Amino acid sequence: MEKIVSLCKRRGYVFQSSEIYGGLNGCWDYGPLGVELLRNIKEGWWRAMTSREDVEGIDASILMHPRVWEASGHVENFTDPMVDCRECKARFRADQIADAPCGSPAYKGRPASRCQADGKFTDARRFNLMFKTFVGPLEDSSSVVYLRPETAQGIFVNFLNVQAASRQRPPFGIAQIGKAFRNEINTKNFLFRTREFEQMEMQFFVPPGSDQKWFEYWKEERFRWFQSLGMKKEKMHFHRHDAGELAHYARDAYDIEYEFPFGWGEIEGIHNRSDFDLTRHEQFSGKSMKFFDEQTKERYTPFIIETSAGASRSFMAFLVDAYREEEAPTADGKTETRVVLSLHPRLAPIKAAVFPLVNRDGMPEIARGIVSSLRPHFRVFYDESGAVGRRYRRQDEAGTPYCITVDSQTLQDRTVTVRERDSMVQERVSGGDLVAYIREKTL
Ligand code: ATP
């Protein structure tokens, strides 16, 4: 993980939030390459969802009526057990004490579990993970609202609006990408558990009775999606929730887990939420949330199959999955270690880098001309500094799938060398064919 965190900073993937002030725990900023990778992941997901006939998209607001979170069960149930250490004054999640360090200067470095053994801990209390704020100028209990801890509720409360406006009938889904906020007690493992993150959620509304069939369908479909963007199958598995793990709303649930360097962790949850959500919103709002089927003249509350992925966690999984170090030959016949981010070309932030082999004989001008012809279509990068081998290495580390070099043969026949990142195989391509060539390989 340390290597990946350091590469993220060096290459402009991810920076610590407010770094010059010492950072803010659980918050991260995406740099120039990171923002492109994140957008490409979200774009891939959005396209996979909304290119279907039976999925519509929305973008709901982050602040919602506070009753939403009573109906959803978050006010009551969205809590973690928390203990305070009387010695070091730090707060811990009661189920994650073993590997947490004690914060007391007197006990620096010792695990908090020893404070616990010494009887220094308070009893466990429930701590609600929702961030609170106020709407309007009065900061009293009547103006409390929450930053949404999940995007799902914005979909549920809009179910009938979307259904009527788009003339869909179950089975159909509503997709949304957006920020969610959780005041996690312990943030750790880089982007894995943060306080502000993005979710990609699609809630699929189905007639009761067909729910388990759709649940199995979406579970397979979502696993395949990660693989379609290059994620290694052997690093992924399903974890099925047993009765004790199931959330209060769930009938059945699978997590798609990825094997991170620190162990297996959830990147997406697929849940059969039954009719819990729409029934609760009907009770709390007093408005019917039932669907009336004009064809069969039936009125019913649809069941919901949820697919809930973290964009930020997927980002980290794709990065970890792509990272490798390998021995590669140098120009003078030796070998060196090269770091490669083998991101799927559709995810890669920069699709091609363009180099003049040397900074003379008109090569920089031709190379800049190629950059101008590619730039309207793709993110490209121009680099003329240092030996060409070093320029390749920089792009390998940034995950750029193609490097285009203008060399002496270009001056004669207008062809260029195109080198592929993973295989390092080079081929000659006519300058005029480059847009079509890069498009075919990366979009
Ligand atoms: P965990 O058990 O790891 O806290 P969860 O079961 O609470 O996760 P869900 O509520 O199912 O997670 O959220 C759906 C997805 O949102 C998760 O699969 C994950 O990708 C993402 N997610 C949830 N919490 C966080 C977080 N604190 N930071 C980053 N991503 C998160």
Side-chain angles (χ1 to χ4, degrees):
M1 276 313 297
E2 267 171 39
K3 284 182 176 172
I4 289 169
V5 175
S6 133
L7 180 140
C8 279
K9 173 158 188 193
R10 193 167 67 242
R11 305 304 323 190
Y13 271 95
V14 180
F15 308 124
Q16 203 182 6
S17 160
S18 335
E19 188 189 271
I20 59 170
Y21 291 99
L24 180 66
N25 232 330
C27 299
W28 298 88
D29 297 341
Y30 292 86
L33 294 193
V35 72
E36 294 291 337
L37 172 57
L38 188 63
R39 285 174 66 107
N40 292 342
I41 293 169
K42 292 188 287 185
E43 181 55 32
W45 183 89
W46 189 254
R47 216 180 319 149
M49 289 298 176
T50 59
S51 61
R52 297 171 58 107
E53 228 175 6
D54 56 0
V55 175
E56 307 287 341
I58 62 161
D59 188 3
S61 68
I62 287 173
L63 300 177
M64 300 179 74
H65 195 288
R67 292 276 282 166
V68 166
W69 306 109
E70 290 172 31
S72 68
H74 281 80
V75 170
E76 198 182 334
N77 294 316
F78 198 52
T79 57
D80 277 339
M82 157 212 93
V83 291
D84 290 311
C85 176
R86 294 195 187 91
E87 198 67 49
C88 71
K89 309 289 181 228
R91 180 164 283 184
F92 301 96
R93 238 173 89 163
D95 55 344
Q96 291 179 358
I97 294 167
D99 53 349
C102 168
S104 158
Y107 292 114
K108 205 165 169 33
R110 90 170 186 173
S113 50
R114 282 196 46 208
C115 299
Q116 185 190 32
D118 293 351
K120 302 288 183 198
F121 274 14
T122 60
D123 290 340
R125 280 178 295 151
R126 309 299 304 180
F127 172 77
N128 196 295
L129 300 186
M130 284 195 291
F131 280 100
K132 272 187 196 160
T133 185
F134 303 94
V135 282
L138 285 179
E139 297 197 357
D140 63 18
S141 59
S142 65
S143 59
V144 166
V145 292
Y146 302 97
L147 298 189
R148 67 180 176 199
E150 61 177 28
T151 55
Q153 301 300 327
I155 296 179
F156 301 150
V157 298
N158 276 303
F159 161 62
L160 285 178
N161 285 337
V162 174
Q163 181 275 316
S166 57
R167 300 167 53 111
Q168 292 274 7
R169 57 196 284 266
F172 81 96
I174 304 177
Q176 173 168 224
I177 298 176
K179 289 243 170 160
F181 304 82
R182 296 183 186 181
N183 197 2
E184 301 277 3
I185 300 171
N186 290 334
T187 57
K188 57 177 185 179
N189 294 329
F190 196 31
L191 305 172
F192 186 78
R193 189 174 301 288
T194 56
R195 296 200 165 114
E196 174 178 341
F197 55 96
E198 264 183 301
Q199 290 188 315
M200 308 184 288
E201 293 198 307
M202 196 282 299
Q203 309 290 338
F204 204 70
F205 300 83
V206 304
S210 63
D211 46 306
Q212 206 55 18
K213 180 188 84 186
W214 281 108
F215 174 68
E216 294 296 331
Y217 169 85
W218 278 110
K219 158 192 166 237
E220 295 303 327
E221 198 61 21
R222 294 303 306 143
F223 198 88
R224 255 200 305 277
W225 179 78
F226 285 101
Q227 285 178 270
S228 74
L229 289 172
M231 196 172 279
K232 294 185 195 81
K233 197 175 174 186
E234 64 274 18
K235 291 280 184 182
M236 297 168 63
H237 71 200
F238 284 116
H239 163 74
R240 190 173 198 164
H241 289 205
D242 60 33
E245 280 175 280
L246 282 177
H248 59 279
Y249 51 76
R251 281 209 167 174
D252 204 345
Y254 282 101
D255 292 339
I256 298 177
E257 293 191 334
Y258 182 81
E259 191 177 17
F260 290 100
F262 49 82
W264 290 92
E266 171 187 337
I267 49 177
E268 171 156 351
I270 296 105
H271 305 126
N272 180 347
R273 300 183 67 114
S274 72
D275 58 358
F276 175 85
D277 307 283
L278 295 180
T279 304
R280 290 279 288 195
H281 283 303
E282 184 166 302
Q283 282 166 4
F284 279 70
S285 70
K287 302 269 158 51
S288 168
M289 296 300 281
K290 293 190 177 62
F291 169 71
F292 179 67
D293 192 328
E294 298 282 354
Q295 290 174 14
T296 62
K297 305 294 176 209
E298 269 179 305
R299 191 181 296 279
Y300 64 89
T301 306
F303 273 41
I304 296 176
I305 306 305
E306 164 174 83
T307 71
S308 174
S312 334
R313 264 194 209 170
S314 303
F315 175 102
M316 186 165 133
F318 280 119
L319 262 187
V320 166
D321 203 56
Y323 183 93
R324 62 192 163 91
E325 292 174 9
E326 62 181 28
E327 293 305 306
T330 59
D332 54 5
K334 298 189 184 131
T335 59
E336 64 174 5
T337 306
R338 79 167 183 140
V339 172
V340 194
L341 271 190
S342 289
L343 290 168
H344 190 285
R346 271 187 23 223
L347 295 183
I350 298 171
K351 305 302 182 197
V354 184
F355 313 146
L357 184 63
V358 290
N359 286 320
R360 54 181 154 77
D361 304 333
M363 290 186 205
E365 291 73 18
I366 297 174
R368 284 197 179 276
I370 291 174
V371 168
S372 307
S373 69
L374 295 179
R375 193 153 274 160
H377 308 277
F378 321 102
R379 287 276 301 172
V380 290
F381 183 79
Y382 175 77
D383 189 2
E384 59 177 25
S385 64
V388 77
R390 283 187 54 78
R391 286 181 256 168
Y392 282 149
R393 293 290 174 271
R394 284 202 286 265
Q395 294 307 316
D396 290 345
E397 218 186 46
T400 308
Y402 294 96
C403 289
I404 299 166
T405 305
V406 170
D407 49 28
S408 46
Q409 199 177 322
T410 314
L411 307 179
Q412 291 155 24
D413 61 10
R414 298 272 147 182
T415 62
V416 292
T417 303
V418 180
R419 173 223 190 235
E420 198 274 331
R421 175 196 65 203
D422 297 344
S423 62
M424 295 189 283
V425 166
Q426 306 194 353
E427 61 175 318
R428 291 210 74 84
V429 176
S430 165
D433 296 340
L434 280 172
V435 171
Y437 182 93
I438 301 293
R439 172 171 291 132
E440 191 204 315
K441 305 266 186 192
T442 64
L443 295 184

